[in-house]
Amino acid sequence: MARPRPEHLPGAASTVGTAVALAGAPPGCSQRLGAELAALGAEKVLISESEQLATAVIAPFVDGLSAAAALVSPEAVLTANSIRGRDAAARFAARSGSALAVDAVGISRDEEGILAHHSVYGGAYLVDSAASAGALAITLRQGASDLRAEAKPPQIQVLQVAASGAPDALVSSYQETAVASSRPELRGAEIVVSGGRGLGSGENFTLVEDLADALGGAVGASRAAVDAGYISQAMQVGQTGVTVAPQLYIALGISGAIQHRAGMQTSKTIIAINKDPDAPIFEIADFGVVGDLFTVVPQLVAAIEGKRG
Ligand code: FAD
């Protein structure tokens, strides 16, 4: 596994074999990181210590990944399907001549080895991929796997990693941005409440935020809502936005175009509120409310807050 270390990786890995975690760490952090990864279910934790991790974007971590792969000869290498995870997996695959399977929504094993499962064309098809030789490098979509492995006693090994000198971007300076919201990050959130053009205005979009806050969820949006200026583009869910797979996805005033579905169809439970009973979003919703969101959502928020007392 590669940094970042989302909880879904040890759980998924342990369904097909022995989960060995890899963490890149500046010297001195190995024991803490090792204990964290063992608590997530890693049978063994390999630590690639490097001062360069503080300034180089990815190459020292891929050096560690290559050293870890040489040590344990894995059948598959899993990373999160995040920007960093995709970068690491792609570089590892290129260096080692391995096959690369991106944005998997699950993994399994058959008699020939490890399979990665993908949801493609907006979720219209499920396809599997496998490597014909070597370790399959897989980026696994955050939220795609519910499985969590049991905590293990920490077994930590610090790797000796030779720097490859591979080209990399260097961080010369950075500025921390103040976190403007206490809501969870959209990618990887357990609950996502998204609003579409049906909200009608940026002011009305506070209804989406109210419901998200009542549920402790993240806020998302359709592209039509983004294009209309109701909310920032960073919140867009779909083919040209963020892909999410939360436990609960609530779509408010979203028709369910295929480009939107591509980014949320693998959510575990989908609830749609839409005044049009023929809206395509109802084809994939587990629960639907046909009604005016301006009537339904305030009642829903009041009911949730009432329950909380
Ligand atoms: P609409 O389709 O206009 O739907 C609004 C819905 O709100 C309707 O179903 C209506 O019945 C309902 N409604 C209206 N008023 C109320 C009310 N008072 N109460 C309840 N319901 C109400 N879209 C994305 O979302 N994400 C993407 O990443 C994306 N990428 C794209 C990429 C390409 C190349 C293209 C061509 C398109 C892309 N789109 C994307 C756009 C997509 O095709 C749709 O246009 C968009 O998803 C529609 O957004 P919407 O559902 O909010 O709006």
Side-chain angles (χ1 to χ4, degrees):
M1 291 184 307
R3 266 195 341 175
R5 339 170 234 107
E7 295 173 353
H8 66 308
L9 297 182
S14 60
T15 62
V16 294
T18 304
V20 177
L22 169 71
C29 300
S30 306
Q31 294 303 320
R32 180 180 55 78
L33 271 176
E36 278 177 22
L37 287 162
L40 293 176
E43 302 263 356
K44 184 167 186 178
V45 181
L46 304 175
I47 307 277
S48 160
E49 283 189 345
S50 168
E51 298 278 4
Q52 290 176 305
L53 283 162
T55 49
V57 172
I58 198 80
F61 184 70
V62 182
D63 295 343
L65 198 48
S66 301
L71 184 73
V72 300
S73 303
E75 281 183 274
V77 172
L78 293 185
T79 70
N81 189 50
S82 58
I83 292 171
R84 191 179 167 83
R86 286 197 299 267
D87 196 356
R91 282 176 178 249
F92 170 78
R95 273 195 205 183
S96 59
S98 311
L100 175 65
V102 295
D103 196 19
V105 294
I107 56 172
S108 65
R109 168 187 284 288
D110 70 4
E111 60 283 357
E112 291 184 38
I114 307 246
L115 298 170
H117 309 296
H118 307 264
S119 170
V120 299
Y121 294 123
Y125 297 96
L126 287 174
V127 296
D128 296 341
S129 57
S132 48
L136 179 60
I138 303 168
T139 73
L140 187 62
R141 187 182 292 184
Q142 289 101 312
S145 172
D146 286 343
L147 300 162
R148 296 291 178 265
E150 277 182 24
K152 304 288 182 316
Q155 267 200 61
I156 303 167
Q157 181 178 348
V158 176
L159 292 176
Q160 297 305 316
V161 181
S164 62
D168 198 2
L170 291 181
V171 180
S172 54
S173 68
Y174 69 94
Q175 204 179 349
E176 290 205 13
T177 47
V179 178
S181 160
S182 57
R183 293 186 193 113
E185 210 201 324
L186 178 56
R187 205 188 290 266
E190 296 267 298
I191 298 174
V192 175
V193 182
S194 284
R197 200 190 328 248
L199 269 297
S201 73
E203 292 76 56
N204 291 342
F205 211 85
T206 51
L207 267 186
V208 180
E209 295 167 347
D210 290 347
L211 183 54
D213 290 342
L215 292 166
V219 168
S222 71
R223 177 158 151 185
V226 168
D227 288 350
Y230 302 168
I231 185 130
S232 107
Q233 204 275 332
M235 304 296 143
Q236 183 179 317
V237 172
Q239 183 185 320
T240 42
V242 174
T243 298
V244 297
Q247 293 294 323
L248 175 63
Y249 188 90
I250 305 182
L252 308 177
I254 292 178
S255 59
I258 188 155
Q259 296 89 353
H260 186 79
R261 288 156 62 154
M264 45 67 73
Q265 183 138 323
T266 53
S267 303
K268 308 297 174 303
T269 301
I270 298 170
I271 299 178
I273 301 176
N274 196 304
K275 67 180 183 185
D276 175 6
D278 297 323
I281 192 78
F282 288 125
E283 291 165 16
I284 57 161
D286 299 285
F287 302 99
V289 179
V290 177
D292 187 332
L293 67 91
F294 296 106
T295 310
V296 177
V297 176
Q299 291 180 37
L300 195 51
V301 172
I304 294 165
E305 285 174 351
K307 275 211 178 278
R308 202 173 286 147

